[in-house]
Amino acid sequence: MSEYCLFCHEELIEHISWSTFFSKREEELVCPSCQEQLEEITGKRCDICSRPLERIDAQYVVGTRCSDCVRWENDSEWQGYLAGNLSIYLYNDFLKEIISQYKFRGDYLLAKVFAQKLKTSIRMLHADYLVPIPLSTERQFERGFNQAEALLREAGLHSTHLLQRTHGEKQSKKSREDRIHLSQIFQLTDSFVISGKRILLIDDIYTTGSTLRHAAKLLRKAGADYVFALTLARS
Amino acid sequence: MRFAIFDKKLVPEPLLSEPQTTQTIAKIGEIPQPSRNLHFQYCNDVRKRLIGKQLLLDEIPHTLDEIHQHYEQGYITLRKGIVFEKGTPRCQRCGNQKPHLFSSFPCSRCRELCTYCRKCIMMGRVSTCTPLYSWSDSECQSARETANLVWNGTLSFGQQVASDEVVKAISTNDDLLVWAVCGAGKTELLFEGIRYALSLQKRVCIATPRTDVVQELTPRLQAVFPQIDVASLYAGSPDRHKYSPLTISTTHQLFRFYQAFDVVIVDEVDAFPYSMDETLQYAVQNARKERSSMIYLSATPNQQWQKDCRQGKRNFVTIPARYHRKPLPVPELKWCGNWDKKLKQNKLPPNVMKWLKIRLDMEKQALLFIPKIELIPKLLAILQKLDSRIEAVHAADPERKAKVQSMRQKDIPILVTTTILERGVTFPNLDVAVLGSEEQIFTASALVQIAGRVGRSAQYPTGNITFFHFGRTEAMLQARKQIQNMNAEAAKKGMIDIE
Ligand SMILES: [Zn+2]
Ligand SMILES: [Zn+2]
Ligand SMILES: [Zn+2]
Ligand SMILES: [Zn+2]
C-alpha cells in the first residue's frame, strides 16, 4: 500500500470495512477521485477494435462494427489478420494527461496503476506470447523504456520480443494513407516458434490500428494461428 | 547515459570508438573537469542557452558531439542529476528528498535500475544516469549594456529609505528583507537597485510565485529600462531560451537555473506556494550565485522571520506607511456566533447582515471573504435576495477574470470570495468583511493581506475592515497587532499625516 496517490500525490486514507477483513484487497495506488476519472469502456463496442459505438455518430456505425474496421476488413490486403483489439479505458482528457506523463515525460511508476486490470484482461485472452509493440532503438533510448513492455513488467508478466522496428517511427504526423502504405515497419527477430501460436500484442493506445495491423499481418504470414491486441486506451 | 573516463575526461558511451568500461554518472566519484582552452572557438548559441542554467541533454538543441567538445575544451560542466546521501536520493535540480517522490525503472539509457525524481518529472526526467549541463562559468562577459533608468516619479520617504538599503545590500552581496505594508509601492523602490546592479554588469532576477504578477511586472520594468530586453518566464512563455541581464520569472521556472544571478528579488515570500514548497525555495537558492544578494519582499513575514528581525538576526528595512501617507485601516473584531449553523438554516448572523445592508445602502462596494468554496451557493441564495447583482468567485471559477472586471466597473455591489482575492487585486473605494475569520485558512498573514485591500487609493485612503468570528484566534489578534504596530511606527517616523 503506497501512502500517496500516484497521480495527484494526495495522501491516501485507508478505508477499513468488513470486506477489507474478509477478502484480500487490491492494492490501492490512486485516490478515489483520480480513480473516478478513469472511465472503463462499457456498453456496445465495435467487435473488432473496441471503439464505443454509442459515442460515435451513427453514420460511422455499420452493424456491430465501426466504419474504420469495415474499411480495413474490405481491403483484401488487410482482411482477417488482426482478430481484434480489447481496450480497457476511454482515452479521456484525464487518461491523456496520465499517459503523456507516463510515456513522454517518462514517469515509469505510473505503469503500476494499470497492472491489476491488465493482468486480469490478459488472463482472459489465453495467449502463448505477450508481445509489446517495439520502439526503434533511438526512440527507446530517448524515452528510457518501452511503455508497452513496462506495462507487462509491472503486471508481473513476461514479454516476448518477436518483433523489431525496421526503421525509425516518426509517423505520428503522417496521414492514415501514408501509414498504411509504409511498406514494412516491423521485422521478425527469429529464434521463436511462431507457427500455430496465439499471440497477444500489447500497446498503450489504439488510435488508427495501423501499427497493430502491420504487426498482425507479419505474424500471421509467419504462421501464427491467431493475433489479438490489448491496449490500455481506445482513442 | 553511461560514460567512460579516458585521459581524465568523461566520454559519453555513444561517442566511444571502441568498447570501454563505462559507468553511470552517479557512480563516478568526482566528475573530471577539463581546464579551459582559451583558443577554442566556442559556439555562442550553446553558451547563451547554458549560461546560468542546468539543462538536460534533451533540452539542448545541439548534437552530443558538439556538447561533448565544449566539455572537453573546458566550457561545459556536468553535474550529477541525482546524488545519494547516506543511501537516500536527492534530486539536484529540484532538491526533492522525499522517498515517496522517487521511483526506479530498468533504464535503456544506462541498462541499469535507474532512480528518478517524480517531483520535477514535468520538466523531463532526472535520473541517476542523467547529467545536468551548465556553462562552466556564469559571468556575462557580453558587451557592456547600458541600463538607463527612465522614470521620473518620486519615492515616498519610506520608499527612499528602503531603496537605499536595497542598493547597499546589492553592493555588499547581502540579503535583505523589505517589509513593506500593502500599498507601500514596492515595485518603484526596486528601480534604483536594479539600475545599480545592471550598471555593474550584474544579472538580476525578480521571482514571484504567480504568473499574473510576472505578466504585470514585465511591461512596467521594460518601460523603465528601455535599453534592456527583459526576459519574462512563466509556463509556456516564449522567452524560455532568452538570455537577459534582467529576468522576471515565476519561482517555478527557476528550476532550470543554476548559479545564474547576482541579485535575486523574491516577491511575496509569505505567499503560497513559495512559502509552503521547500523545492521552490531550493530552486531560488540554486539560481543565485555563491556571491550574490537576495532581496525578499513581504507585507506579512511569518512569525519566525518577524522574530529574527526583532532579535537582529535578519537584515531588514520596513516601510510602515502607504504611499498616500494615511494610516492602515485597523480591523474591527466582531463576534457573530455560530455562522455555520445559521447558514444551514439559510440565514446570516444579524450583525453580518446589517454590515452588508449598510454597504448596499451607501452604495459602497465590498468584498466578503469566506473560508470555503462550499458556502457559496447558500450565501448567494441569501444575498441575491438583497441585491440580485451580488456575485461570488473562487479559484476554479472560469468567469473569475470577468467577475473581477465587473467589480472594477462597479457592476457588482458586493463580491463574495474565497482567499484567492487576498492578494494582488485592488479596487479603489472598498470595505471588506471576513466571515468566519477564526477558520484555519485565515492565517495572520492572510488576514493582514485581506485588510490590505482597504483604503489603497490616494482618493479613498480609508475604509472599514471587519473580522466576523465565532471565537477570537491568535491569528486575528496578531494580524491586528501587526497593523497597529506599523501605524505606530509610521506615526513616530512622521510618515503619515494625522489630521
Ligand atoms: Zn489522486
Ligand atoms: Zn472498429
Ligand atoms: Zn527533481
Ligand atoms: Zn538510466
Side-chain angles (χ1 to χ4, degrees), chain A residues 3-7 9 97 100-102 105-110 140-146 153-154, chain B residues 1 14 57-58 100-110 113 116 118-119 121-125:
Chain A
E3 286 171 83
Y4 299 89
C5 172
L6 294 191
F7 291 161
H9 303 314
E97 215 172 285
S100 131
Q101 182 171 337
Y102 169 56
R105 309 281 174 181
D107 197 356
Y108 181 94
L109 184 63
L110 296 179
Q140 174 121 8
F141 183 86
E142 201 177 290
R143 292 200 186 145
F145 61 88
N146 173 324
R153 184 175 180 271
E154 291 309 309
Chain B
M1 202 159 48
L57 190 57
D58 324 51
H100 79 270
L101 291 177
F102 286 94
S103 187
S104 299
F105 73 108
C107 173
S108 310
R109 292 195 181 188
C110 64
L113 202 63
Y116 72 98
R118 296 194 70 220
K119 174 93 194 186
I121 188 90
M122 295 317 277
M123 295 188 290
R125 187 178 51 219

Side-chain angles (χ1 to χ4, degrees), chain A residues 45-51 53 64-70 206 213 234:
Chain A
R45 40 168 107 192
C46 170
D47 63 13
I48 294 185
C49 74
S50 269
R51 192 162 178 186
L53 295 178
T64 55
R65 283 183 188 173
C66 74
S67 55
D68 274 352
C69 288
V70 170
Y206 182 108
R213 280 186 167 84
R234 178 68 177 91

Side-chain angles (χ1 to χ4, degrees), chain B residues 53-67:
Chain B
K53 294 282 186 68
Q54 45 176 357
L55 299 183
L56 308 180
L57 190 57
D58 324 51
E59 292 179 299
I60 314 168
H62 288 266
T63 62
L64 180 61
D65 236 324
E66 196 177 359
I67 294 165

Side-chain angles (χ1 to χ4, degrees), chain B residues 5 55 60 67 87 127 142 144 170 180 212 217 219 234 324 350 368 377 388 422 456-457 468 470 480:
Chain B
I5 296 183
L55 299 183
I60 314 168
I67 294 165
S127 73
S142 55
R144 204 175 174 82
I170 291 172
D212 45 338
L217 281 178
Y234 47 89
H324 58 49
L368 175 64
S388 61
E422 145 194 332
R456 290 292 279 260
S457 76
F468 289 103
F470 183 34
R480 190 171 63 178

Side-chain angles (χ1 to χ4, degrees), chain A residues 10-11 41 57 65 83 93 130 143 164 209 223-225 235:
Chain A
E10 280 295 310
E11 211 168 328
I41 299 178
D57 203 291
R65 283 183 188 173
D93 287 346
L130 305 178
R143 292 200 186 145
Q164 64 191 42
D225 202 26
S235 74

Side-chain angles (χ1 to χ4, degrees), chain A residues 37-106:
Chain A
Q37 294 182 73
L38 286 174
E39 287 179 85
E40 277 185 49
I41 299 178
T42 53
K44 277 209 182 85
R45 40 168 107 192
C46 170
D47 63 13
I48 294 185
C49 74
S50 269
R51 192 162 178 186
L53 295 178
E54 284 146 13
R55 290 182 170 254
I56 53 175
D57 203 291
Q59 59 172 315
Y60 299 115
V61 181
V62 186
T64 55
R65 283 183 188 173
C66 74
S67 55
D68 274 352
C69 288
V70 170
R71 198 142 50 114
W72 283 109
E73 293 305 314
N74 283 342
D75 185 339
S76 59
E77 217 180 300
W78 295 103
Q79 199 173 48
Y81 291 127
L82 182 69
N85 163 64
L86 179 68
S87 295
I88 301 173
Y89 299 103
L90 284 177
Y91 195 46
N92 59 16
D93 287 346
F94 181 74
L95 189 55
K96 220 173 259 178
E97 215 172 285
I98 298 297
I99 289 187
S100 131
Q101 182 171 337
Y102 169 56
K103 183 160 75 168
F104 300 121
R105 309 281 174 181

